Protein backbone atom coordinates (compact mmCIF):
# COMPACT_ATOMS: atom_id res chain seq x y z
CA UNK A 1 0.00 0.00 0.00
CA UNK A 2 1.40 3.44 -0.85
CA UNK A 3 2.50 5.44 2.18
CA UNK A 4 0.03 8.16 1.40
CA UNK A 5 -2.94 5.91 2.08
CA UNK A 6 -1.32 4.16 5.00
CA UNK A 7 -0.98 7.53 6.69
CA UNK A 8 -4.54 8.51 5.90
CA UNK A 9 -5.88 5.26 7.27
CA UNK A 10 -3.77 5.51 10.37
CA UNK A 11 -4.99 9.01 11.09
CA UNK A 12 -8.59 8.25 10.28
CA UNK A 13 -9.47 6.47 13.49
CA UNK A 14 -13.15 7.20 13.77
CA UNK A 15 -14.74 9.34 16.44
CA UNK A 16 -18.10 7.78 15.72
CA UNK A 17 -19.66 4.75 17.33
CA UNK A 18 -22.47 4.72 14.79
CA UNK A 19 -22.41 7.54 12.26
CA UNK A 20 -25.74 6.47 10.76
CA UNK A 21 -27.50 7.68 13.91
CA UNK A 22 -26.90 11.25 12.70
CA UNK A 23 -28.60 10.63 9.40
CA UNK A 24 -31.93 12.51 9.22
CA UNK A 25 -33.58 9.31 7.91
CA UNK A 26 -32.37 7.27 10.87
CA UNK A 27 -35.19 6.25 13.19
CA UNK A 28 -34.20 7.02 16.77
CA UNK A 29 -35.02 4.61 19.60
CA UNK A 30 -37.19 7.13 21.36
CA UNK A 31 -39.51 9.82 20.10
CA UNK A 32 -39.66 12.36 22.86
CA UNK A 33 -42.03 15.31 23.37
CA UNK A 34 -44.61 14.17 20.85
CA UNK A 35 -46.83 12.07 23.14
CA UNK A 36 -49.88 14.33 22.67
CA UNK A 37 -49.49 14.42 18.91
CA UNK A 38 -49.06 10.65 18.79
CA UNK A 39 -52.16 10.25 20.90
CA UNK A 40 -54.13 12.52 18.61
CA UNK A 41 -53.15 10.52 15.53
CA UNK A 42 -54.08 7.30 17.34
CA UNK A 43 -57.54 8.72 18.15
CA UNK A 44 -58.17 9.36 14.45
CA UNK A 45 -57.28 5.76 13.65
CA UNK A 46 -59.13 4.19 16.58
CA UNK A 47 -62.52 3.71 14.79
CA UNK A 48 -60.75 1.42 12.29
CA UNK A 49 -60.14 -1.06 15.10
CA UNK A 50 -63.92 -1.20 15.58
CA UNK A 51 -64.47 -1.73 11.85
CA UNK A 52 -65.79 1.79 11.41
CA UNK A 53 -64.51 4.57 9.18
CA UNK A 54 -61.60 6.58 10.62
CA UNK A 55 -61.04 10.31 10.70
CA UNK A 56 -58.82 12.03 8.16
CA UNK A 57 -56.09 14.35 9.36
CA UNK A 58 -53.90 17.15 8.11
CA UNK A 59 -50.66 17.56 10.00
CA UNK A 60 -48.82 20.80 9.43
CA UNK A 61 -45.73 22.47 10.85
CA UNK A 62 -42.33 23.85 9.81
CA UNK A 63 -39.47 21.62 8.56
CA UNK A 64 -37.64 19.32 10.95
CA UNK A 65 -40.15 19.13 13.80
CA UNK A 66 -40.82 15.39 13.65
CA UNK A 67 -43.93 15.14 11.45
CA UNK A 68 -42.58 12.38 9.23
CA UNK A 69 -40.94 10.59 12.14
CA UNK A 70 -44.10 10.59 14.26
CA UNK A 71 -46.41 9.38 11.48
CA UNK A 72 -44.01 6.69 10.28
CA UNK A 73 -43.81 5.50 13.85
CA UNK A 74 -47.59 5.27 14.07
CA UNK A 75 -47.61 3.14 10.92
CA UNK A 76 -44.90 0.91 12.34
CA UNK A 77 -46.77 0.36 15.59
CA UNK A 78 -49.93 -0.30 13.66
CA UNK A 79 -48.20 -2.95 11.62
CA UNK A 80 -46.93 -4.65 14.76
CA UNK A 81 -50.33 -4.45 16.44
CA UNK A 82 -52.75 -5.78 13.82
CA UNK A 83 -53.12 -7.44 10.42
CA UNK A 84 -56.54 -5.88 9.84
CA UNK A 85 -55.27 -2.43 8.91
CA UNK A 86 -53.06 -1.84 5.86
CA UNK A 87 -50.44 0.88 6.46
CA UNK A 88 -49.41 2.96 3.42
CA UNK A 89 -46.77 5.68 3.23
CA UNK A 90 -46.13 7.81 0.14
CA UNK A 91 -43.76 10.75 -0.14
CA UNK A 92 -45.37 13.06 -2.70
CA UNK A 93 -42.20 15.02 -3.23
CA UNK A 94 -40.50 11.94 -4.56
CA UNK A 95 -43.66 10.60 -6.26
CA UNK A 96 -45.69 13.54 -7.43
CA UNK A 97 -47.84 12.31 -10.32
CA UNK A 98 -50.96 10.18 -10.03
CA UNK A 99 -49.26 7.31 -11.84
CA UNK A 100 -46.20 7.37 -9.55
CA UNK A 101 -48.40 7.48 -6.45
CA UNK A 102 -50.46 4.60 -7.82
CA UNK A 103 -47.28 2.55 -8.27
CA UNK A 104 -46.36 3.25 -4.66
CA UNK A 105 -49.78 2.09 -3.56
CA UNK A 106 -49.32 -1.10 -5.61
CA UNK A 107 -46.03 -1.69 -3.81
CA UNK A 108 -47.71 -1.17 -0.45
CA UNK A 109 -50.36 -3.80 -1.18
CA UNK A 110 -47.74 -6.04 -2.78
CA UNK A 111 -49.43 -6.02 -6.19
CA UNK A 112 -46.94 -6.83 -8.93
CA UNK A 113 -48.91 -7.24 -12.16
CA UNK A 114 -48.68 -3.60 -13.14
CA UNK A 115 -47.42 -4.09 -16.70
CA UNK A 116 -49.77 -2.88 -19.46
CA UNK A 117 -52.40 -1.64 -17.04
CA UNK A 118 -53.86 1.85 -17.19
CA UNK A 119 -53.79 4.08 -14.13
CA UNK A 120 -57.55 3.80 -13.59
CA UNK A 121 -57.39 0.02 -13.80
CA UNK A 122 -54.67 -0.02 -11.19
CA UNK A 123 -56.68 2.32 -8.96
CA UNK A 124 -59.67 -0.06 -9.12
CA UNK A 125 -57.45 -2.94 -8.10
CA UNK A 126 -55.94 -0.94 -5.23
CA UNK A 127 -59.35 0.15 -3.97
CA UNK A 128 -60.67 -3.39 -4.12
CA UNK A 129 -57.70 -4.74 -2.19
CA UNK A 130 -57.69 -1.99 0.41
CA UNK A 131 -61.43 -2.37 0.95
CA UNK A 132 -60.93 -5.95 2.09
CA UNK A 133 -59.48 -4.45 5.26
CA UNK A 134 -59.15 -1.00 6.83
CA UNK A 135 -56.25 1.25 5.83
CA UNK A 136 -54.18 4.16 7.06
CA UNK A 137 -52.72 6.14 4.19
CA UNK A 138 -50.04 8.74 4.83
CA UNK A 139 -49.27 11.23 2.05
CA UNK A 140 -46.15 13.10 3.13
CA UNK A 141 -45.24 16.47 1.51
CA UNK A 142 -48.74 16.54 0.05
CA UNK A 143 -48.36 20.12 -1.23
CA UNK A 144 -45.84 18.80 -3.78
CA UNK A 145 -48.36 16.51 -5.50
CA UNK A 146 -49.21 17.58 -9.05
CA UNK A 147 -52.71 16.17 -9.36
CA UNK A 148 -55.24 15.65 -6.61
CA UNK A 149 -57.45 13.10 -8.37
CA UNK A 150 -55.98 10.15 -6.50
CA UNK A 151 -57.08 11.77 -3.23
CA UNK A 152 -60.62 12.23 -4.58
CA UNK A 153 -60.66 8.66 -5.62
CA UNK A 154 -59.42 7.21 -2.38
CA UNK A 155 -61.48 9.43 -0.10
CA UNK A 156 -64.59 8.44 -2.00
CA UNK A 157 -64.02 4.76 -2.69
CA UNK A 158 -62.44 3.48 0.51
CA UNK A 159 -64.96 2.50 3.17
CA UNK A 160 -62.76 2.30 6.24
CA UNK A 161 -59.68 4.47 6.17
CA UNK A 162 -57.76 7.30 7.75
CA UNK A 163 -56.01 9.55 5.26
CA UNK A 164 -53.19 11.56 6.83
CA UNK A 165 -51.74 14.47 4.86
CA UNK A 166 -48.45 16.09 5.90
CA UNK A 167 -47.40 19.57 4.85
CA UNK A 168 -45.33 22.61 5.84
CA UNK A 169 -48.06 24.98 4.68
CA UNK A 170 -50.60 25.71 7.38
CA UNK A 171 -53.01 27.16 4.80
CA UNK A 172 -52.76 24.29 2.35
CA UNK A 173 -56.18 23.07 3.39
CA UNK A 174 -57.77 26.45 2.68
CA UNK A 175 -56.38 26.45 -0.83
CA UNK A 176 -57.75 22.99 -1.39
CA UNK A 177 -60.53 22.40 -3.89
CA UNK A 178 -63.80 22.59 -1.95
CA UNK A 179 -65.06 19.34 -3.45
CA UNK A 180 -62.06 17.52 -2.03
CA UNK A 181 -62.34 19.40 1.25
CA UNK A 182 -65.93 18.33 1.67
CA UNK A 183 -64.99 14.72 1.00
CA UNK A 184 -62.01 14.62 3.33
CA UNK A 185 -63.28 16.87 6.17
CA UNK A 186 -59.96 16.40 7.94
CA UNK A 187 -59.04 17.23 11.51
CA UNK A 188 -56.01 19.48 11.85
CA UNK A 189 -52.95 18.92 13.97
CA UNK A 190 -50.09 21.35 14.27
CA UNK A 191 -46.55 20.29 15.11
CA UNK A 192 -44.83 23.22 16.80
CA UNK A 193 -41.05 23.69 16.94
CA UNK A 194 -39.32 22.24 20.00
CA UNK A 195 -38.24 24.41 22.93
CA UNK A 196 -34.55 24.90 23.69
CA UNK A 197 -34.55 22.19 26.38
CA UNK A 198 -36.46 19.76 24.20
CA UNK A 199 -34.04 20.39 21.33
CA UNK A 200 -31.14 19.63 23.65
CA UNK A 201 -32.69 16.40 24.92
CA UNK A 202 -33.40 15.17 21.37
CA UNK A 203 -29.82 15.91 20.31
CA UNK A 204 -28.43 14.26 23.45
CA UNK A 205 -30.28 11.10 22.63
CA UNK A 206 -28.83 11.06 19.10
CA UNK A 207 -25.36 11.78 20.50
CA UNK A 208 -25.61 8.76 22.79
CA UNK A 209 -26.41 6.60 19.77
CA UNK A 210 -23.76 8.14 17.50
CA UNK A 211 -20.70 8.60 19.75
CA UNK A 212 -18.93 6.88 22.62
CA UNK A 213 -19.54 8.56 26.02
CA UNK A 214 -17.91 11.95 26.66
CA UNK A 215 -17.10 12.70 23.04
CA UNK A 216 -18.72 16.10 23.28
CA UNK A 217 -18.68 18.44 26.27
CA UNK A 218 -21.54 20.48 27.67
CA UNK A 219 -20.43 23.82 26.19
CA UNK A 220 -20.08 22.45 22.69
CA UNK A 221 -23.45 20.73 22.97
CA UNK A 222 -25.03 23.99 24.14
CA UNK A 223 -23.58 25.80 21.17
CA UNK A 224 -25.04 23.23 18.79
CA UNK A 225 -28.37 23.29 20.60
CA UNK A 226 -28.63 27.08 20.40
CA UNK A 227 -27.96 27.07 16.68
CA UNK A 228 -30.44 24.26 16.13
CA UNK A 229 -33.07 26.06 18.17
CA UNK A 230 -32.50 29.22 16.16
CA UNK A 231 -33.20 27.33 12.91
CA UNK A 232 -36.07 25.41 14.59
CA UNK A 233 -35.07 22.34 12.64
CA UNK A 234 -33.59 19.25 14.33
CA UNK A 235 -31.81 18.43 11.07
CA UNK A 236 -29.56 21.44 11.62
CA UNK A 237 -28.38 19.87 14.89
CA UNK A 238 -27.71 16.53 13.25
CA UNK A 239 -25.74 18.23 10.50
CA UNK A 240 -23.74 20.28 13.01
CA UNK A 241 -22.90 17.21 15.06
CA UNK A 242 -21.69 15.32 12.01
CA UNK A 243 -19.68 18.24 10.67
CA UNK A 244 -18.12 19.00 14.06
CA UNK A 245 -17.11 15.37 14.45
CA UNK A 246 -15.57 15.27 10.99
CA UNK A 247 -13.67 18.48 11.66
CA UNK A 248 -12.46 17.04 14.97
CA UNK A 249 -11.36 13.87 13.19
CA UNK A 250 -9.46 15.74 10.54
CA UNK A 251 -7.66 17.56 13.36
CA UNK A 252 -6.84 14.18 14.93
CA UNK A 253 -8.84 15.10 18.01
CA UNK A 254 -10.54 12.36 20.01
CA UNK A 255 -13.20 14.77 21.21
CA UNK A 256 -15.42 17.42 19.70
CA UNK A 257 -14.15 20.76 21.00
CA UNK A 258 -15.69 24.21 20.81
CA UNK A 259 -13.50 25.28 17.89
CA UNK A 260 -14.73 22.33 15.82
CA UNK A 261 -18.33 23.29 16.51
CA UNK A 262 -17.64 26.90 15.60
CA UNK A 263 -16.14 25.81 12.32
CA UNK A 264 -19.16 23.58 11.63
CA UNK A 265 -21.58 26.43 12.40
CA UNK A 266 -19.91 28.47 9.69
CA UNK A 267 -20.49 25.65 7.22
CA UNK A 268 -24.19 25.46 8.02
CA UNK A 269 -24.51 29.02 6.93
CA UNK A 270 -22.91 27.99 3.66
CA UNK A 271 -25.41 25.20 3.23
CA UNK A 272 -28.12 27.81 3.77
CA UNK A 273 -26.65 29.70 0.89
CA UNK A 274 -27.05 26.91 -1.62
CA UNK A 275 -29.94 28.74 -3.24
CA UNK A 276 -27.80 31.78 -3.98
CA UNK A 277 -26.25 32.42 -7.34
CA UNK A 278 -22.49 32.62 -7.79
CA UNK A 279 -22.29 36.36 -7.52
CA UNK A 280 -24.49 36.49 -4.43
CA UNK A 281 -22.15 33.99 -2.80
CA UNK A 282 -19.22 36.13 -3.83
CA UNK A 283 -20.84 39.24 -2.35
CA UNK A 284 -21.57 37.34 0.87
CA UNK A 285 -17.91 36.33 1.14
CA UNK A 286 -16.88 39.89 0.43
CA UNK A 287 -19.18 41.23 3.16
CA UNK A 288 -17.78 38.82 5.72
CA UNK A 289 -14.33 40.27 5.35
CA UNK A 290 -15.54 43.87 5.33
CA UNK A 291 -18.07 43.94 8.15
CA UNK A 292 -16.67 47.13 9.64
CA UNK A 293 -17.54 49.13 6.52
CA UNK A 294 -20.84 50.76 5.59
CA UNK A 295 -22.64 49.41 2.55
CA UNK A 296 -21.59 52.50 0.58
CA UNK A 297 -17.93 51.86 1.40
CA UNK A 298 -18.37 48.20 0.55
CA UNK A 299 -19.95 48.99 -2.81
CA UNK A 300 -17.04 51.29 -3.68
CA UNK A 301 -14.42 48.74 -2.74
CA UNK A 302 -16.32 45.97 -4.53
CA UNK A 303 -16.39 48.09 -7.66
CA UNK A 304 -12.62 48.49 -7.50
CA UNK A 305 -11.73 44.92 -6.62
CA UNK A 306 -14.35 43.00 -8.60
CA UNK A 307 -14.92 45.42 -11.49
CA UNK A 308 -18.68 45.36 -10.94
CA UNK A 309 -20.98 48.36 -10.66
CA UNK A 310 -22.17 49.65 -7.31
CA UNK A 311 -25.70 49.02 -8.46
CA UNK A 312 -24.98 45.31 -9.01
CA UNK A 313 -23.56 45.13 -5.51
CA UNK A 314 -26.65 46.82 -4.10
CA UNK A 315 -28.95 44.44 -5.96
CA UNK A 316 -27.10 41.39 -4.65
CA UNK A 317 -27.18 42.87 -1.17
CA UNK A 318 -30.96 43.19 -1.43
CA UNK A 319 -31.24 39.56 -2.49
CA UNK A 320 -29.19 38.45 0.50
CA UNK A 321 -31.54 40.44 2.68
CA UNK A 322 -34.55 38.79 1.07
CA UNK A 323 -32.97 35.39 1.74
CA UNK A 324 -32.84 36.33 5.43
CA UNK A 325 -29.07 36.01 5.57
CA UNK A 326 -28.40 39.64 6.40
CA UNK A 327 -30.21 42.70 7.59
CA UNK A 328 -29.31 46.27 6.71
CA UNK A 329 -29.24 48.61 9.69
CA UNK A 330 -29.27 52.33 9.13
CA UNK A 331 -26.39 54.10 10.87
CA UNK A 332 -25.36 57.68 11.58
CA UNK A 333 -23.26 59.15 8.83
CA UNK A 334 -22.19 62.67 7.98
CA UNK A 335 -22.83 61.95 4.30
CA UNK A 336 -26.54 61.14 4.40
CA UNK A 337 -28.20 57.72 4.70
CA UNK A 338 -25.81 54.93 5.33
CA UNK A 339 -26.19 51.27 6.25
CA UNK A 340 -24.26 48.58 8.00
CA UNK A 341 -24.70 44.88 7.40
CA UNK A 342 -25.93 42.80 10.27
CA UNK A 343 -25.65 39.02 9.87
CA UNK A 344 -28.87 37.15 10.66
CA UNK A 345 -27.07 33.86 10.83
CA UNK A 346 -23.63 33.43 12.27
CA UNK A 347 -20.83 34.48 10.00
N1 LIG B 1 -39.16 14.08 19.02
C1 LIG B 1 -38.10 13.64 18.36
N2 LIG B 1 -37.30 12.73 18.92
C2 LIG B 1 -36.23 12.27 18.25
N3 LIG B 1 -35.86 12.69 17.03
C3 LIG B 1 -36.62 13.62 16.42
C4 LIG B 1 -37.78 14.13 17.05
N4 LIG B 1 -38.35 15.04 16.22
C5 LIG B 1 -37.59 15.08 15.12
N5 LIG B 1 -36.55 14.24 15.22
C6 LIG B 1 -35.52 14.01 14.20
O1 LIG B 1 -35.37 15.21 13.46
C7 LIG B 1 -35.23 14.96 12.07
C8 LIG B 1 -36.34 15.66 11.30
O2 LIG B 1 -37.60 15.10 11.62
P1 LIG B 1 -38.71 14.81 10.51
O3 LIG B 1 -38.08 14.27 9.29
O4 LIG B 1 -39.80 14.00 11.12
O5 LIG B 1 -39.21 16.30 10.24
P2 LIG B 1 -40.49 16.84 9.46
O6 LIG B 1 -41.31 17.58 10.45
O7 LIG B 1 -41.12 15.73 8.72
O8 LIG B 1 -39.81 17.89 8.48
P3 LIG B 1 -40.18 18.24 6.95
O9 LIG B 1 -41.40 19.10 7.01
O10 LIG B 1 -38.98 19.00 6.47
O11 LIG B 1 -40.39 16.95 6.23
C9 LIG B 1 -35.27 13.45 11.91
O12 LIG B 1 -33.96 12.97 11.85
C10 LIG B 1 -35.95 12.97 13.17
O13 LIG B 1 -35.50 11.68 13.52
MG1 LIG C 1 -41.11 15.24 6.68
Amino acid sequence: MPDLFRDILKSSESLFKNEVALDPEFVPKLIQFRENENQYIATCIKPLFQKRNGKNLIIHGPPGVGKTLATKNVLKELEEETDDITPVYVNCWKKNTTYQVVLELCKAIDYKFIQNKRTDELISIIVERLNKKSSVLVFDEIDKIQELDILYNLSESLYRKTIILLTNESNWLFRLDSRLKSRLIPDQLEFKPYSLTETKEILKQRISQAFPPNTINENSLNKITENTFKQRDIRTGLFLLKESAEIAESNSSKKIEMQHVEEAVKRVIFSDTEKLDEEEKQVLEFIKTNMEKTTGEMAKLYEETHKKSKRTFQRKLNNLQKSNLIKLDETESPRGRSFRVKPLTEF
Side-chain angles (χ1 to χ4, degrees):
M1 193 192 288
D3 283 350
L4 174 66
F5 293 114
R6 194 170 298 138
D7 281 351
I8 287 177
L9 286 180
K10 213 165 52 190
S11 66
S12 68
E13 215 174 286
S14 178
L15 212 78
F16 295 98
K17 182 172 74 182
N18 179 19
E19 189 169 349
V20 180
L22 297 180
D23 202 293
E25 309 303 317
F26 175 83
V27 179
K29 278 190 204 142
L30 248 180
I31 304 178
Q32 288 169 289
F33 316 115
R34 287 298 183 214
E35 289 82 6
N36 292 340
E37 289 80 356
N38 266 326
Q39 207 53 51
Y40 197 105
I41 303 172
T43 317
C44 294
I45 295 172
K46 199 172 155 205
L48 301 180
F49 282 91
Q50 297 143 354
K51 301 248 175 332
R52 293 188 292 124
N53 196 4
K55 265 191 180 170
N56 299 323
L57 180 65
I58 286 204
I59 296 178
H60 62 91
V65 294
K67 299 184 298 298
T68 299
L69 177 67
T71 28
K72 275 192 168 170
N73 183 56
V74 168
L75 292 184
K76 189 175 127 251
E77 289 200 8
L78 204 60
E79 206 165 8
E80 286 163 6
E81 183 68 30
T82 174
D83 287 330
D84 300 334
I85 303 175
T86 313
V88 179
Y89 174 88
V90 182
N91 185 319
C92 302
W93 200 350
K94 292 182 183 149
K95 314 282 171 188
N96 62 6
T97 66
T98 299
Y99 184 64
Q100 285 175 327
V101 171
V102 163
L103 290 189
E104 284 299 291
L105 294 170
C106 286
K107 241 191 255 169
I109 59 168
D110 209 13
Y111 182 77
K112 297 198 177 70
F113 309 104
I114 52 174
Q115 296 293 325
N116 305 322
K117 289 205 175 69
R118 294 192 317 268
T119 308
D120 59 322
E121 287 176 301
L122 289 173
I123 292 178
S124 304
I125 294 166
I126 291 162
V127 166
E128 196 194 311
R129 288 280 181 99
L130 289 178
N131 268 336
K132 288 189 177 148
K133 297 185 194 176
S134 304
S135 46
V136 174
L137 306 120
V138 173
F139 293 96
D140 203 348
E141 317 266 8
I142 187 63
D143 44 295
K144 303 290 189 309
I145 203 165
Q146 282 177 6
E147 307 134 317
L148 289 168
D149 49 333
I150 185 71
L151 283 186
Y152 279 100
N153 242 310
L154 295 173
S155 59
E156 212 158 57
S157 336
L158 296 178
Y159 308 132
R160 293 185 308 274
K161 85 280 177 190
T162 287
I163 297 178
I164 302 177
L165 308 175
L166 270 56
T167 173
N168 294 139
E169 297 178 33
S170 60
N171 61 354
W172 190 77
L173 181 67
F174 299 113
R175 295 200 286 106
L176 208 59
D177 182 313
S178 57
R179 285 175 305 154
L180 181 55
K181 234 189 294 191
S182 69
R183 280 174 179 79
L184 283 173
I185 326 177
D187 273 17
Q188 281 206 66
L189 175 62
E190 184 186 358
F191 274 50
K192 296 204 168 78
Y194 298 108
S195 69
L196 188 72
T197 3
E198 289 171 341
T199 305
K200 187 169 174 180
E201 280 309 309
I202 291 172
L203 292 179
K204 260 168 108 172
Q205 194 215 136
R206 285 294 249 270
I207 288 170
S208 72
Q209 288 174 263
F211 301 109
N214 305 322
T215 304
I216 180 163
N217 62 33
E218 191 71 11
N219 283 346
S220 305
L221 171 60
N222 285 341
K223 177 97 181 160
I224 290 184
T225 305
E226 279 157 27
N227 277 283
T228 309
F229 177 68
K230 237 187 330 193
Q231 304 270 340
R232 314 201 144 220
D233 182 340
I234 297 294
R235 281 190 206 104
T236 305
L238 301 176
F239 180 81
L240 281 175
L241 282 169
K242 201 165 180 169
E243 285 289 315
S244 311
E246 277 165 11
I247 294 166
E249 268 180 358
S250 66
N251 285 297
S252 309
S253 169
K254 293 263 176 293
K255 289 191 192 308
I256 299 174
E257 307 289 355
M258 192 54 124
Q259 78 251 31
H260 307 137
V261 175
E262 277 165 1
E263 187 61 37
V265 168
K266 278 189 208 148
R267 291 191 191 172
V268 173
I269 309 311
F270 288 124
S271 82
D272 251 350
T273 58
E274 265 167 17
K275 290 172 235 99
L276 303 178
D277 69 32
E278 280 314 306
E279 195 164 11
E280 283 158 2
K281 284 183 193 161
Q282 206 175 60
V283 168
L284 190 64
E285 280 306 302
F286 175 81
I287 293 171
K288 283 182 196 173
T289 49
N290 291 284
M291 289 295 283
E292 73 294 344
K293 297 189 174 61
T294 65
T295 53
E297 290 162 348
M298 284 189 196
K300 190 160 175 280
L301 184 62
Y302 192 75
E303 187 174 46
E304 287 162 20
T305 53
H306 290 73
K307 308 278 170 265
K308 291 280 165 60
S309 74
K310 286 181 191 151
R311 187 177 286 177
T312 307
F313 181 80
Q314 194 60 47
R315 209 174 44 241
K316 298 295 168 191
L317 213 56
N318 289 343
N319 291 351
L320 294 176
Q321 193 173 11
K322 276 191 213 137
S323 309
N324 275 334
L325 288 162
I326 58 162
K327 199 169 156 271
L328 299 180
D329 267 359
E330 198 162 351
T331 61
E332 298 283 327
S333 159
R335 276 168 281 123
R337 272 160 71 96
S338 177
F339 295 89
R340 273 189 204 286
V341 176
K342 198 173 150 204
L344 286 182
T345 35
E346 273 187 59
F347 272 17

